[in-house]
């Protein structure tokens, strides 16, 4: 939750360092993190291992905080489940007194995602040739994702120059398990996100392991913020742990 702002444990720091090593060859253009301490420390550890982005500014945003669990915060998960059972409900749909509903969490996720889309469109408007510049032979060095066999170029159709199809922004977002599950649910249910063919329903609804990595490609055709085309490349990748 939000109310108990504890630092990472020794295990947490090891996991964050492992994620940093895993992502060390990915050149990010922006980094956003929840303003809770455990997320801040995770983001710093990831950047500390990065070959390209050690000095990139981390921007902290309260919209990326974990779901608020009210009276259940600071207590074991078994207590939350017992509260839900007593109310005749089940987790995760149950909302403890003083906590956020799933719809409220999704609204935060939607607001932040729309902010990211606006950021990408503004980058393209400011520097229309920046994508072309970044694609000049540097892709393999700067945009290699460790879970794919290709760099971050979106597939090009024949006859395209390709410049407009290179990523204008490559954003690292560090957040929390329940929040990210709501965000992914928003992508799938509201925005028709394309999913990997081998992804099961249980995987889709599960909470990411600590420092699990999910990768999404977002296309905004002609800067249209209302119709983002989203593809999930991988979900809750944890081979580094």
């Amino acid at each position: 939750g939000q109310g108990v702002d504890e630092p990472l444990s020794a295990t947490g720091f090891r996991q964050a360092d492992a994620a940093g090593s895993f992502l060390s060859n990915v050149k990010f253009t922006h980094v956003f993190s929840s303003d809770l301490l455990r997320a801040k420390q995770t983001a710093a550890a990831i950047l500390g291992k990065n070959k390209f982005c050690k000095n990139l500014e981390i921007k902290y945003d309260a919209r990326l905080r974990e779901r608020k669990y009210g009276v259940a915060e600071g207590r074991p998960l078994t207590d939350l489940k017992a509260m839900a059972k007593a109310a005749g409900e089940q987790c995760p749909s149950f909302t403890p007194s003083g906590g956020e509903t799933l719809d409220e969490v999704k609204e935060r996720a939607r607001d932040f995602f729309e902010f990211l889309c606006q950021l990408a469109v503004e980058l393209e408007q400011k520097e229309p040739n920046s994508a072309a510049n970044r694609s000049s032979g540097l892709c393999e060095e700067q945009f290699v994702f460790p879970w794919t066999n290709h760099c971050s170029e979106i597939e090009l159709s024949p006859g395209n120059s390709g410049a407009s199809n290179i990523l204008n922004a490559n954003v690292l977002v560090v957040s929390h398990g329940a929040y990210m599950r709501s965000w992914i649910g928003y992508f799938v249910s509201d925005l028709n996100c394309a999913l990997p063919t081998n992804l099961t329903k249980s995987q889709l609804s599960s909470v990411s392991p600590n420092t699990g990595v999910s990768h999404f490609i977002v296309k905004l055709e002609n800067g249209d913020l209302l119709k983002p085309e989203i593809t999930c490349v991988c979900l809750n990748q944890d081979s580094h742990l």
Side-chain angles (χ1 to χ4, degrees):
Q2 301 180 8
V4 183
D5 196 13
E6 291 286 322
L8 290 176
S9 65
T11 299
F13 277 113
R14 286 195 296 271
Q15 291 170 331
D17 284 343
S21 297
F22 184 62
L23 299 171
S24 62
N25 287 314
V26 182
K27 185 173 182 181
F28 298 106
T29 58
H30 302 78
V31 179
F32 293 94
S33 169
S34 157
D35 61 351
L36 297 178
L37 181 57
R38 57 195 185 272
K40 287 182 174 181
Q41 291 174 326
T42 301
I46 291 172
L47 282 196
K49 296 276 188 180
N50 197 279
K51 295 178 181 178
F52 305 103
C53 313
K54 279 184 171 61
N55 298 318
L56 193 62
E57 179 188 2
I58 303 172
K59 296 185 178 179
Y60 304 110
D61 198 305
R63 289 173 293 184
L64 294 173
R65 287 181 180 180
E66 180 59 291
R67 182 185 180 188
K68 186 177 180 181
Y69 282 93
V71 296
E73 294 199 350
R75 297 167 65 174
L77 180 60
T78 51
D79 284 10
L80 177 65
K81 291 181 177 178
M83 290 179 195
K85 185 176 181 180
E89 298 182 43
Q90 290 185 324
C91 297
S93 57
F94 170 68
T95 303
S97 177
E100 282 183 296
T101 66
L102 290 179
D103 283 344
E104 287 171 334
V105 179
K106 188 172 83 167
E107 181 61 22
R108 277 201 284 130
R110 182 195 63 78
D111 189 53
F112 185 77
F113 176 64
E114 290 180 356
F115 157 76
L116 286 186
C117 290
Q118 183 65 48
L119 173 71
V121 169
E122 288 174 358
L123 281 173
E124 174 63 17
Q125 290 171 346
K126 284 180 184 176
E127 302 178 69
N129 296 318
S130 62
N133 293 337
R134 284 199 296 274
S135 68
S136 57
L138 298 176
C139 187
E140 289 187 4
E141 294 178 14
Q142 297 185 346
F143 284 130
V144 172
F145 296 107
W147 51 89
T148 59
N149 294 320
H150 54 78
C151 53
S152 63
E153 284 183 90
I154 298 168
E155 290 185 14
L156 307 179
S157 58
N160 281 357
S161 65
S164 63
N165 292 310
I166 306 299
L167 296 181
N168 291 307
N170 192 28
V171 185
L172 172 66
V173 177
V174 181
S175 185
H176 307 268
Y179 175 87
M180 291 187 293
R181 178 168 59 186
S182 290
W183 194 354
I184 292 163
Y186 162 64
F187 275 2
V188 173
S189 63
D190 293 45
L191 300 179
N192 299 313
C193 173
L195 298 170
T197 54
N198 60 349
L199 195 68
T200 66
K201 189 170 286 188
S202 63
Q203 287 174 312
L204 186 61
S205 61
S206 65
V207 173
S208 172
N210 289 337
T211 69
V213 177
S214 296
H215 177 198
F216 297 90
I217 294 175
V218 181
K219 290 183 186 180
L220 297 165
E221 289 293 336
N222 301 314
D224 187 352
L225 295 171
L226 298 177
K227 294 182 179 179
E229 181 184 324
I230 306 172
T231 302
C232 176
V233 178
C234 70
L235 190 69
N236 301 336
Q237 165 76 39
D238 64 352
S239 63
H240 55 287
L241 295 177

